[in-house]
């Protein structure tokens, strides 16, 4: 256990940091009180799992004894040479596939309180999360986290008992990134498999292998060398990345995602609304194109105040709005599960239809149509 490993070191060195107003309740694990402080928001996942079947089990996860975050630190003590660590655990049931927006709302409230207060002395945060829906919880936090400090999501694809688990390395790299000033002013990041990507654009692309989180079109922001982050470019935020204040929010309005395909059943739109959806995301073929009959239903819902946002079904690229405003909105280069969260947050913030259209379309409109605002141009 970590406590037995550290019990002597911590107490002998007297480095248990005194709690300030913003980290009250946090217990710092530390061997050097000069190092940056990094909080671990732990929502479980494969990184905290173990199999008792064999050292090659990365599929069935026989129920071994799961390590705790403190066990991971105890087994990779090098991590305490880059940061002081504190752990906040968030309950999850049913793994990350069972998670919902309550989880990100809770994590972001902690992160804003503990990191974004003016005199907070915490350098950054990492989040452990099951990889199945990591991109959703991370995106929710990213949209609602109000300061420039690093928020780095990580996890693992192999149980900790695998013959070469990816968890310890991902953990080390995420902490090094969260402790590094070079990670600031970029929005939330994912540290995984030796690479750094933007949460805003990243998605899980492989169901089984460690090289799974990628931003296909936007690429990697950096790589890890000897555990330290190396960024290819200086800091910048993703284009059009919005911010929502959810400090008082506990429940978000329902928004569901439908997958467009040949022979799509348009009645699913009505069914979703009848079940309480306040907005819909539809994945449209090609550049987010909907069938004419689906467009007609979307127009009817638009007139009733239910926004319908089209997202491109291909793995990369984007739907593009027409020059004139339409009754279907087009998301600018974000995926369906991310667009769903943006729409929930926009509706929750009381945005009207024009504001919701702007939320999704203004990045593309500004880039494509603004330069020709005073010309007659046909695309
Ligand atoms: C503690 O960390 C500081 C800052 O990185 C470093 O200068 C110092 O040498 C470290 N002390 C020990 C005992 O390692
Ligand atoms: C694995 O753990 C489970 C639950 O503790 C136990 O029932 C099972 O016998 C174990 N399997 C092996 C192969 O050790
Ligand atoms: C290493 O991890 C195992 C669980 O995977 C745990 O039982 C053990 O206590 C850890 N070692 C230390 C020193 O924390
Ligand atoms: C939020 O997480 C904290 C820390 O784990 C927990 O104590 C609290 O019950 C959670 N709140 C909600 C509303 O889930
Ligand atoms: C999310 O899941 C938790 C249990 O894991 C449940 O208590 C909560 O009501 C759910 N929230 C929503 C918005 O469904
Ligand atoms: C913080 O919130 C303000 C509005 O309250 C917003 O203008 C600003 O962009 C936010 N900062 C970040 C880093 O999200
Ligand atoms: C949250 O609610 C409290 C108490 O009602 C209020 O004082 C505060 O201004 C609200 N904050 C935000 C950001 O809405």
């Amino acid at each position: 256990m970590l406590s037995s490993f550290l019990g002597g070191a911590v107490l002998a060195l007297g480095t248990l940091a005194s709690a300030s107003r913003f980290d009250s309740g946090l217990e710092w694990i530390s061997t050097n009180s000069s190092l940056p402080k990094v909080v671990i928001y732990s929502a479980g996942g494969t990184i905290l799992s173990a199999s008792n079947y064999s050292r090659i089990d990365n599929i069935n996860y026989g129920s071994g004894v799961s390590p705790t975050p403190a066990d991971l630190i105890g087994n990779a003590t090098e991590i305490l040479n880059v940061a002081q660590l504190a752990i906040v655990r968030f309950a999850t049931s049913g793994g990350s596939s069972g998670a919902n927006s309550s989880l990100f709302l809770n994590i972001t409230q902690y992160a804003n309180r503990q990191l974004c207060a003016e005199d907070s002395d915490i350098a950054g945060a990492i989040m452990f999360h099951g990889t199945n829906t990591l991109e959703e919880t991370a995106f929710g936090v990213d949209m609602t986290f109000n300061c420039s400090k690093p928020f780095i999501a990580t996890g693992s694809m192999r149980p900790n008992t695998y013959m070469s688990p990816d968890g310890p390395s991902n953990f080390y790299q995420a902490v090094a990134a969260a402790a590094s000033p070079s990670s600031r002013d970029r929005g939330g990041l994912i540290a995984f498999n030796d690479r750094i990507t933007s949460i805003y654009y990243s998605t899980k692309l492989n169901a089984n292998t460690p090289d799974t989180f990628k931003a296909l079109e936007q690429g990697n922001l950096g790589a890890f060398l000897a555990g330290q982050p190396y960024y290819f470019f200086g800091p910048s935020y993703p284009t059009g990345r919005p911010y929502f204040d959810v400090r008082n929010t506990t429940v978000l309005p329902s928004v569901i995602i439908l997958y467009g395909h040949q022979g799509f059943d348009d009645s699913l739109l009505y069914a979703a609304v009848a079940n309480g959806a306040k907005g819909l995301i539809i994945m449209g073929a090609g550049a987010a194109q909907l069938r004419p009959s689906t467009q007609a239903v979307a127009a009817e819902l638009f007139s009733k105040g239910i926004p319908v946002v089209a997202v491109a079904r291909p793995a990369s690229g984007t739907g593009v709005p027409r020059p004139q405003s339409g009754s279907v909105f087009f998301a600018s280069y974000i995926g369906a599960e991310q667009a769903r969260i943006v729409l929930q947050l926009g509706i929750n913030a009381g945005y009207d239809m024009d504001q919701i259209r702007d939320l999704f379309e203004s990045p593309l409109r500004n880039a494509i149509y603004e330069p020709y605002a005073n010309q007659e141009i046909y695309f």
Side-chain angles (χ1 to χ4, degrees), residues 163-250:
M163 60 169 64
S164 61
D166 53 336
S169 167
N170 288 345
F171 181 27
Y172 186 97
Q173 295 177 353
V175 169
S180 171
S182 66
S183 302
R184 296 180 64 125
D185 297 295
R186 297 174 183 276
L189 303 169
I190 295 178
F192 217 97
N193 198 47
D194 292 351
R195 295 208 166 80
I196 311 161
T197 57
S198 169
I199 286 173
Y200 194 70
Y201 292 118
S202 296
T203 194
K204 185 176 186 180
L205 283 175
N206 191 298
N208 319 105
T209 63
D211 59 331
T212 188
F213 285 100
K214 291 191 168 72
L216 268 188
E217 194 70 18
Q218 298 79 15
N220 300 316
L221 301 184
F224 289 95
L225 299 167
Q228 288 297 325
Y230 180 90
Y231 288 96
F232 302 133
F233 300 96
S236 71
Y237 283 94
T239 304
R241 173 179 177 270
Y243 164 73
F244 296 93
D245 187 336
V246 292
R247 277 175 294 176
N248 284 346
T249 301
T250 51

Side-chain angles (χ1 to χ4, degrees), residues 323 361-375 379:
E361 296 186 351
S362 63
L364 284 169
R365 287 189 174 283
N366 293 343
I368 302 168
Y369 300 124
E370 192 57 31
Y372 306 109
N374 301 314
Q375 300 173 43
F379 291 92

